Amino acid sequence: CQQKKAGNPDIITTDYEAPKPVAPISQDAMSDKMTVKWVDGRNYEIVVNRTPVDSLPMVTDEIGQRFIDNVIRVKVLREDGTKFFDRQFTKRAFLNWLDKEYKKSAVLEGIRFLKADTAGLEFVAWLNSPGAGDDEAIELRMTVNRNGEVNIQPHNENDREDLEMQESEE
């Protein structure tokens, strides 16, 4: 007859069940609109819309959970309502700035207007793995110049502080 050692009665053990994937998860659709003074002091309306699109390649995390990526439309209208700029962005537009892992694991989370100056309209675009913290996001500066051309560059630390200050003022 074998005798089992008595365990510590203060320790409670439970069976651990790993999380299981559910239906694909998406971020909420969002829309942001603002008016800024730009060329010759004229007003321009900037509209940014984020829409989850399940026809884009999905991102899968380590447990197999799938996430729907986003399309972000940036539209800039002149004072008279005519379009100056209107383009839809997906993660594909930013692939040159992502490493191999982020190309597979990140979604396009957002694009946000920063400022208007003589160089153009500046935005910050950020991509992140779903569920990762904000400090893991890849941020890129996106400038739309007076000719409607887009330039994408790394986003430096000073600009990140400017964005955080703008967010805290709202």
Side-chain angles (χ1 to χ4, degrees):
C1 180
Q2 284 187 340
Q3 206 176 48
K4 290 186 179 181
K5 291 186 177 181
N8 186 338
D10 294 334
I11 297 175
I12 299 172
T13 60
T14 59
D15 291 333
Y16 173 76
E17 190 172 319
K20 291 185 171 81
V22 294
I25 298 172
S26 67
Q27 294 176 301
D28 293 334
M30 76 97 206
S31 182
D32 195 17
K33 186 188 299 189
M34 69 203 67
T35 302
V36 298
K37 289 201 181 298
W38 188 32
V39 180
D40 299 329
R42 294 189 181 122
N43 289 328
Y44 286 76
E45 183 176 67
I46 298 171
V47 181
V48 179
N49 293 310
R50 177 179 71 193
T51 307
V53 178
D54 58 7
S55 62
L56 290 172
M58 291 192 194
V59 170
T60 305
D61 70 7
E62 63 278 351
I63 67 161
Q65 178 60 56
R66 295 180 348 153
F67 295 87
I68 297 171
D69 209 342
N70 300 302
V71 169
I72 299 180
R73 182 177 183 188
V74 177
K75 186 166 47 169
V76 181
L77 303 172
R78 296 179 184 93
E79 279 182 322
D80 63 4
T82 59
K83 288 181 192 174
F84 165 72
F85 182 83
D86 188 1
R87 187 178 298 174
Q88 291 188 5
F89 293 91
T90 64
K91 179 171 65 176
R92 181 178 207 85
F94 305 99
L95 289 180
N96 289 341
W97 301 102
L98 303 178
D99 64 20
K100 185 178 178 181
E101 183 58 35
Y102 256 68
K103 285 178 182 178
K104 292 187 323 189
S105 68
V107 296
L108 176 59
E109 282 199 24
I111 296 176
R112 182 176 177 147
F113 175 73
L114 286 177
K115 65 181 180 177
D117 61 19
T118 56
L121 299 170
E122 288 190 28
F123 298 82
V124 63
W126 66 96
L127 299 97
N128 206 355
S129 296
D134 287 343
D135 56 342
E136 294 181 35
I138 296 196
E139 295 180 347
L140 300 166
R141 179 194 319 228
M142 191 174 82
T143 304
V144 178
N145 70 19
R146 290 179 179 215
N147 297 324
E149 299 164 334
V150 177
N151 182 25
I152 299 170
Q153 296 294 322
H155 193 61
N156 71 41
E157 204 57 33
N158 290 338
D159 292 331
R160 182 181 175 97
E161 291 171 9
D162 291 345
L163 177 63
E164 289 170 355
M165 285 175 47
Q166 283 182 4
E167 288 175 340
S168 67
E169 291 172 1
E170 293 176 1

